[in-house]
Amino acid sequence: MRMEEYVAASGDTYKSIARAARVGIRELVDANPQRPADEPLRAGELLYVPAGPAHRRMYIVQPGDSLTGIAEWLGCADRRLRELNPQLPAGADPAPGTRIALPTPAGRIVMPSSIYGPDRVAADLKRLVSAFPFIKTATIGSSVMGKPILAAGIGDGPFRWHLNASLHANEWITSLIAMRFLEDYGRACRRKTQIGGFDAAELYRRTTLWVVPMVNPDGVELVQEGLRPDHPLAARIGRWNRGSASFRNWKANARGVDLNDQFPAGWEEERRRRGVPGPAPRDYSGDAPLSEPEAAALAAFTEAQSFDAVIALHTQGEEIYWNYGGLEPPESKIWAHRLGLASGYRPIALTGSDAGYKDWFIAKYRRPGFTVEAGCGRNPLPLSAFEDVYDDCLRLLTEALDLSPG
Ligand SMILES: [Zn+2]
């Protein structure tokens, strides 16, 4: 791994340096075995910082970098970097700290887009399977509007992980994260390289991961494209959205039900607490637990697969919720701490929240279940945040796979 030297400034922490350099805290700790990790940094202290891997599409110019050096490292021409970064000073190297855009690696399948909806998920899954034929796909059910809810499986190990995304419509950037992870993991398995610092083939051998990248396709479509006049539920949805043309705050499915308040674990309690009497952009629990086809499909898939551990990917807050009413197994807390170290996110023991997917999973199976609130900002997170948030999640997800016993 390419290393940069970094002189610590007053107030620096591992976390602040890792953030600025866009690497994981653990990678940073590993890169500095010469000092105890728990000792505070002193100003002037020399640290080694891993340079970002080539999958990142932005790079912060480090002291001593030249454009030619960066281009060589990426295996592209200087000219290509200049084309992508017209803001750079002509004939001179960019100053340290400058953010530059990097060329997309050839053959990249999952590309961030402001309309990354159900059709794109379906098309990209097809392309992923053709590029990485060991990825399996399945349809686990369909949405209120009849859209398929798709799943993809990777790995043939005994420990069964599940990851789902976009239970909440305006958190759809999580679908991009899940899809990009499938692609990067698939590619690392094929090339027998590392992913997130772990040997991909080894993770593949130890675990099976089933991903449901978009649990709420109807809701995501509303957030991304608005309400089309020919939508069969246009009149009702428009009323539930109080006539607003913007669906930025829409979390629910097409019947105005919040899918993460639908699971039979304290459902009545959650319904009372939310106090939302009918269909709405968020927080309406529905008429009964699992009344909605999307939540029912996810529950049935979980039961059929008997997962050993699950992660529900949401935005935002950079937090990891790991408990539910003391029903979680002892390893939940330890794993949450490890996931936190890998991602920089904060493990949180939550009270006063019920009926979420992970709550139900923990209550029913007494196995580790996590809600990860990725990224920071206001939902929907802007696409400009994608690469940073993805980096956090990549490290969190590979750490999760590595935590699997056996
Ligand atoms: Zn959410």
Side-chain angles (χ1 to χ4, degrees), residues 140 263 290 294-307 357 360 365:
I140 68 163
F263 290 86
L290 303 183
E294 298 90 351
L298 190 60
F301 184 59
T302 302
E303 285 168 349
Q305 294 285 331
S306 187
F307 295 117
Y357 172 76
W360 167 76
Y365 295 102

Side-chain angles (χ1 to χ4, degrees), residues 167-168 170-171 251 260 313-316 371 373 379:
L167 260 165
H168 282 148
N170 68 350
E171 301 171 9
K251 284 175 132 63
N260 210 34
L313 199 53
H314 290 248
T315 58
Q316 49 79 45
T371 295
E373 295 284 357
N379 288 330

